Amino acid sequence: MKPPQRGRPNEVRLIGGAWKRSKLPVPDRPGLRPTPDRVRETLFNWLGQDLTGWRVLDAFAGSGALGFEAASRGAAQVLLLEQDTQLVAGFKAHAQRLGAAGLEARRADAMAWMAAAVPESWELVLLDPPFAAGLALPAAHAAARLVVPGGFVYVESGEALAELPPGLEPWREGRAGAVHYQLLRRGYTAPVSVTGP
């Protein structure tokens, strides 16, 4: 009997959009915790499934599942930020295999990158930092300035945010086991319809 292979990559299966059921290999990494299928499904139900034309930043890409789900649903531009060189190389290979022209993977420190980024450049910022790093709240503060009015910031963490960054309003939230997830929306004023003389 062959011994079990050690360190064999796990897989994440995309759950919606053009690449539904496509598999993304996920290397074994300490603390790498792909967003559960049920949570991804809930998030994209909240967002309306069709992200055609959206610009999406996946700031702590990890497995890449959230960013690839957004691209699968029609996002025009998806940028995955990740510090692990091997993971970034994997994202690029997956993107090439799927023909994901609008998806870019970049090796970067997410917090430093967001601090220097152009404000109001994204319709959606996805934040799933390592739970033990304590970055959920600082990352949400950094992301708040990056989304357009009416845009969304998604935060996945061990606990609900202790406070909301200025300008972001609660939109939806849920829990699945040890994962707490929140969708926040940047405040905006809806257009006023004028009727009559």
Side-chain angles (χ1 to χ4, degrees), residues 8-104:
R8 186 177 176 181
N10 299 311
E11 291 179 331
V12 172
R13 188 186 298 267
L14 298 182
I15 56 173
W19 306 322
K20 186 177 182 178
R21 290 188 281 279
S22 295
K23 295 176 182 177
L24 305 178
V26 180
D28 290 327
R29 287 289 188 276
L32 186 59
R33 177 197 37 77
T35 300
D37 290 6
R38 184 161 64 95
V39 175
R40 279 184 282 136
E41 185 172 16
T42 300
L43 168 62
F44 287 99
N45 282 340
W46 288 345
L47 292 169
Q49 295 293 339
D50 184 3
L51 305 187
T52 299
W54 288 34
R55 296 160 297 173
V56 179
L57 173 65
D58 188 353
F60 299 86
S63 70
L66 290 173
F68 275 88
E69 291 282 7
S72 183
R73 289 164 169 82
Q77 178 186 359
V78 178
L79 175 60
L80 286 78
L81 302 178
E82 172 57 52
Q83 294 196 81
D84 186 307
T85 305
Q86 185 180 344
L87 294 179
V88 172
F91 300 153
K92 290 178 178 178
H94 306 332
Q96 187 172 15
R97 178 172 53 87
L98 294 169
L103 189 145
E104 178 189 355

Side-chain angles (χ1 to χ4, degrees), residues 94-146:
H94 306 332
Q96 187 172 15
R97 178 172 53 87
L98 294 169
L103 189 145
E104 178 189 355
R106 190 178 300 176
R107 185 176 182 273
D109 176 276
M111 294 300 296
W113 191 95
M114 289 193 292
V118 177
E120 299 187 4
S121 297
W122 307 91
E123 278 72 36
L124 173 63
V125 176
L126 301 162
L127 303 173
D128 182 12
F131 283 8
L135 289 174
L137 184 57
H141 276 274
R145 60 181 278 279
L146 300 185

